[in-house]
Amino acid sequence: MKRTTAAEPTPRQVIRALEERLPRGWEIRTWTSSRSAADLTLVVTAPDGSRGWIAIETRGTVERRSLDQITRALQRAVESEPLPTAGLLVARYLSAPLRAELEDRRISYLDLTGNVRMELATPGLFLSDRGADSDPTRGAGRPRNTLKGEPAARIVRALLDSSRSWRIKDLVTASGASVGATYRAVEYLESQGLVTERDESKTFRVTKWTSLLRAWSADYDTFAVNRVTRWIHPRGIQAVLDRAASAELSSRYAFTGSVAAAQWAPFAPTRAALAYSEAPDETSEAWGLRPAPEGTANVLLIEPSVPDGIALVGTSLAAPGFIVAAPAQVAADLLNGPGRNPSEGEALIAWMDDNEESWRL
Amino acid sequence: MTDELVIAARRALLDALEALGDQAESIILVGAQAIYLHTGSAEVAIAEFTTDADLAIDPRALQDDPLIEAAMTAAGFTRGTTNPGVWISRDGVQVDLMVPALVAGKGRRSVDAPPHDPHSMRKSAGLEAALVDRELRRISSFEPEDQRSFSTLVAGPAALLIAKLHKLGERVDQRRALDNKDAHDIYRILIAIETDVLARSIEALRADETCSEVVTVALQHLGAYFAADVSSAGNTMAGAAEAELGDPAQVAASTHLLAVDLFEALSDDD
């Protein structure tokens, strides 16, 4: 399973970069294709309504020696699509020599600095543009990790999970974070425009919860801060869900990732179930999981690094009888997840936006 | 989503069941179409896929009339020229009529079941368990306009597992990609059927003199190619069947774990 590294372009960066360069009247959307080997598949609609599909291989950085492998991966991605599909390599930055080599190989490419050369046969489309000639990510970036860690997570989750106006002391109570941590976080959120400036009555509101969620997920990586163990259930994920629905556990758990998201916004079938578990040994035993040999896991158990971790706050019982984490937690975890998880995160955020009243109290 | 070829394979199966309707008590559905009846809901990455239909025939239950060759020919099937028992439907789908070796007589490939043509059916090792482990199931078309539906004997999961293990054991040394599907069918059975249920059926078959020998050989294959190690040939082949579509390593590991579970369940019963 390939982890999306921090440097790899996210689906929304890819879409935004393409949208900026598409001629007027053209549209681009993500396309769900369950058998796809691509990191991301997009569908482009021309003004006359004709459509073309693009299978995308995303890379953080690209080195010359990996071009053969990239060529093969793109070919595999294109061939895995049932509809006529073009391939596109998207990287954070592609140097001039690499771009020349890609052109020789007739591989369409795009980098986030604006270097692009893309050909689509049907509907006919040719994009070509020059961006940067040096890697901008090597320079200084914006301050990161400001919303990292458990206190920030508790504060952001409190702000996300209810739609209301806040005073600092309400937020301290609701989040369980310290007064100091709450002040620091709110000041930072104010400076970023993620919450309104405190007025005379010392109250503030979240300006746009989607922006707050994305800012938090950029800094908070559940896979990095918590202990992750890898398991396999030989009968697959459905068997795990059935067991979870019927087993009695003395410790708490909650599914996150695709399994949880599917309760609200169904996406492609998933290959791995992700669940928070206070006691992975008890959970694995009850669900019939075995330790997974390298590369075979279909269940990942995430043990919160602190007692009463935020991930297990706001859980709910899903219709099939197992417990799922709160939508905001699930969305943040998906945005940081492997493979197609970030696209699923986007789909969940779209659902959350349409159904705010059902999860944001 | 049902593939065009899968639809055609079911149509050919119904053609054969209709043709052999008067011999229904001697006909048992085996092979992939039987496996999918049991495992339909199993969670696997590759679609159910078969392009042929396999029928086992119990010659002890065969009537003298109609003759197998006459019934098949009248229904539009053509005898294949390669092996005995190979019949081609009007749509070009292969239907194999096979007789378990134990009850097929002395021929090498042909079948000794007079008055039927010895070449109308093929002697085949490993299907003996289907003579014992079988149940009546209703087989219908995948096409709405085809209203045909037949109550048919279908081999049980344990008998099908034993037959597939036999087939795999005969061919594993050749390492042909074509046989990966047989290993994957074994994986399908192992994940779809509860281990205890499978173990009880296998125990019963092991105690039956018609098939005890075949069961013993099949379990040796299960041990050597699946339970021994996660990298054993059968596990690798089952995984390879999902290359590009699913998760080969996960399939191989799952097949291995379930084979080990089955062995443990069988030894618990002793």
Side-chain angles (χ1 to χ4, degrees):
Chain A
M1 191 180 285
K2 184 169 108 179
R3 277 299 309 271
T4 308
T5 63
E8 210 167 284
T10 64
R12 70 175 178 276
Q13 286 176 316
V14 176
I15 291 167
R16 194 181 306 149
L18 281 170
E19 273 175 348
E20 282 170 5
R21 287 168 183 82
L22 279 177
R24 183 183 293 272
W26 289 66
E27 281 182 7
I28 195 152
R29 290 170 179 281
T30 53
W31 179 259
T32 305
S33 164
S34 63
R35 289 190 177 186
S36 177
D39 290 332
L40 172 70
T41 306
L42 299 177
V43 57
V44 183
T45 309
D48 67 0
S50 60
R51 295 194 295 176
W53 286 263
I54 309 173
I56 291 171
E57 177 75 14
T58 53
R59 297 289 165 122
T61 52
V62 173
E63 289 179 43
R64 198 160 183 281
R65 63 165 190 259
S66 57
L67 281 181
D68 282 341
Q69 196 256 328
I70 287 173
T71 308
R72 282 195 301 274
L74 264 174
Q75 194 174 353
R76 217 168 31 238
V78 166
E79 285 167 2
S80 72
E81 298 289 345
L83 294 158
T85 301
L88 176 68
L89 168 67
V90 180
R92 194 152 287 271
Y93 171 68
L94 293 163
S95 66
L98 270 174
R99 299 197 303 265
E101 174 89 29
L102 288 166
E103 281 167 31
D104 284 348
R105 290 174 180 241
R106 304 192 60 78
I107 293 177
S108 291
Y109 61 78
L110 164 75
D111 77 19
L112 296 186
T113 76
N115 291 299
V116 58
R117 185 183 165 87
M118 188 177 99
E119 281 185 74
L120 207 58
T122 40
L125 179 66
F126 180 74
L127 299 178
S128 178
D129 201 359
R130 275 288 287 277
D133 274 326
S134 65
D135 187 349
T137 59
R138 303 244 164 129
R142 77 163 180 92
R144 292 293 296 267
N145 298 337
T146 330
L147 296 174
K148 198 177 176 180
E150 183 72 10
R154 299 194 83 91
I155 292 158
V156 172
R157 276 284 313 279
L159 290 169
L160 288 171
D161 290 354
S162 29
S163 171
R164 53 169 283 188
S165 62
W166 295 90
R167 289 163 182 259
I168 295 279
K169 68 173 173 31
D170 307 330
L171 188 53
V172 170
T173 311
S175 68
S178 71
V179 175
T182 307
Y183 266 104
R184 277 194 301 279
V186 170
E187 275 163 16
Y188 170 74
L189 294 174
E190 260 178 18
S191 75
Q192 299 297 307
L194 294 167
V195 298
T196 58
E197 286 189 17
R198 276 162 285 175
D199 57 22
E200 285 143 21
S201 61
K202 300 272 171 52
T203 63
F204 60 95
R205 297 187 71 94
V206 172
T207 45
K208 202 173 168 204
W209 67 262
T210 49
S211 305
L212 177 59
L213 175 60
R214 289 177 203 282
W216 174 50
S217 75
D219 287 348
Y220 171 91
D221 183 350
T222 194
F223 303 97
V225 298
N226 298 311
R227 181 169 158 262
V228 179
T229 48
R230 295 168 177 275
W231 306 85
I232 181 168
H233 193 299
R235 290 179 201 272
I237 292 168
Q238 190 53 50
V240 176
L241 300 180
D242 292 345
R243 293 288 277 271
S246 61
E248 297 282 341
L249 289 175
S250 63
S251 57
R252 294 186 302 163
Y253 78 92
F255 284 98
T256 183
S258 316
V259 164
Q263 306 309 314
W264 305 295
F267 203 72
T270 175
R271 298 240 181 94
L274 257 60
Y276 287 99
S277 162
E278 279 182 332
D281 288 341
E282 190 202 16
T283 308
S284 58
E285 169 90 35
W287 294 357
L289 308 179
R290 341 277 177 95
E294 177 77 31
T296 65
N298 56 11
V299 180
L300 269 58
L301 294 181
I302 311 169
E303 186 181 358
S305 56
V306 293
D308 278 326
I310 186 67
L312 286 164
V313 172
T315 60
S316 60
L317 185 66
F322 51 77
I323 294 167
V324 294
Q329 183 70 43
V330 175
D333 294 345
L334 282 169
L335 292 178
N336 283 308
R340 309 193 115 224
N341 272 190
S343 320
E344 294 174 75
E346 295 298 337
L348 176 57
I349 289 170
W351 178 90
M352 290 164 72
D353 208 16
D354 290 343
N355 298 275
E356 196 176 324
E357 71 294 341
S358 71
W359 64 274
R360 201 162 183 242
L361 305 173
Chain B
M1 183 175 62
T2 309
D3 191 273
E4 199 55 43
L5 293 169
V6 176
I7 295 170
R10 174 55 59 91
R11 193 187 309 133
L13 170 63
L14 293 171
D15 289 347
L17 292 175
E18 189 171 22
L20 300 172
D22 292 336
Q23 301 281 17
E25 282 167 23
S26 66
I27 308 288
I28 306 146
L29 178 63
V30 294
Q33 296 208 49
I35 291 175
Y36 301 159
L37 283 176
H38 296 295
T39 67
S41 62
E43 184 181 347
V44 294
I46 56 174
E48 294 166 359
F49 184 78
T50 184
T51 54
D52 59 8
D54 296 335
L55 293 171
I57 295 180
D58 184 350
R60 302 168 303 182
L62 267 184
Q63 317 281 332
D64 288 353
D65 183 54
L67 292 169
I68 296 290
E69 58 273 27
M72 291 297 278
T73 310
F77 284 89
T78 312
R79 260 268 324 274
T81 49
T82 47
N83 278 314
V86 174
W87 293 90
I88 310 298
S89 80
R90 273 182 289 234
D91 309 337
V93 176
Q94 181 169 332
V95 174
D96 284 301
L97 301 184
M98 294 175 289
V99 174
L102 191 77
V103 291
K106 292 194 286 286
R108 197 177 68 84
R109 299 289 274 166
S110 59
V111 172
D112 190 15
H116 302 280
D117 180 343
H119 289 89
S120 62
M121 299 167 271
R122 178 168 75 258
K123 184 177 186 175
S124 184
L127 291 174
E128 284 76 2
L131 299 172
V132 181
D133 174 24
R134 60 205 207 172
E135 62 191 40
L136 269 180
R137 295 280 284 255
R138 186 152 284 279
I139 313 288
S140 306
S141 170
F142 292 142
E143 298 161 294
E145 66 276 16
D146 184 349
Q147 296 291 315
R148 292 179 298 171
S149 172
F150 301 105
S151 184
T152 304
L153 288 169
V154 176
L160 292 164
L161 176 66
I162 287 159
K164 282 285 174 192
L165 284 166
H166 238 271
K167 190 173 169 195
L168 191 87
E170 284 171 1
R171 299 180 180 184
V172 70
D173 292 340
Q174 302 169 33
R175 291 294 172 98
R176 296 185 310 168
L178 192 63
D179 298 324
N180 291 345
K181 198 181 147 295
D182 289 317
H184 193 271
D185 282 341
I186 288 170
Y187 161 69
R188 274 185 201 275
I189 296 171
L190 291 174
I191 62 166
I193 311 298
E194 286 298 328
T195 302
D196 291 346
V197 172
L198 212 45
R200 275 198 299 277
S201 302
I202 292 172
E203 279 305 338
L205 291 169
R206 187 150 67 172
D208 189 300
E209 64 179 23
T210 317
C211 49
S212 64
E213 196 179 320
V214 183
V215 174
T216 304
V217 172
L219 291 179
Q220 283 163 1
H221 293 333
L222 183 70
Y225 305 128
F226 294 94
D229 189 87
V230 67
S231 62
S232 301
N235 302 321
T236 316
M237 289 167 75
E242 288 202 0
E244 313 292 324
L245 293 171
D247 194 329
Q250 207 173 74
V251 170
S254 299
T255 314
H256 167 65
L257 288 168
L258 292 166
V260 172
D261 287 355
L262 182 55
F263 260 98
E264 283 174 2
L266 285 167
S267 50
D268 287 349
D269 291 349
D270 284 345

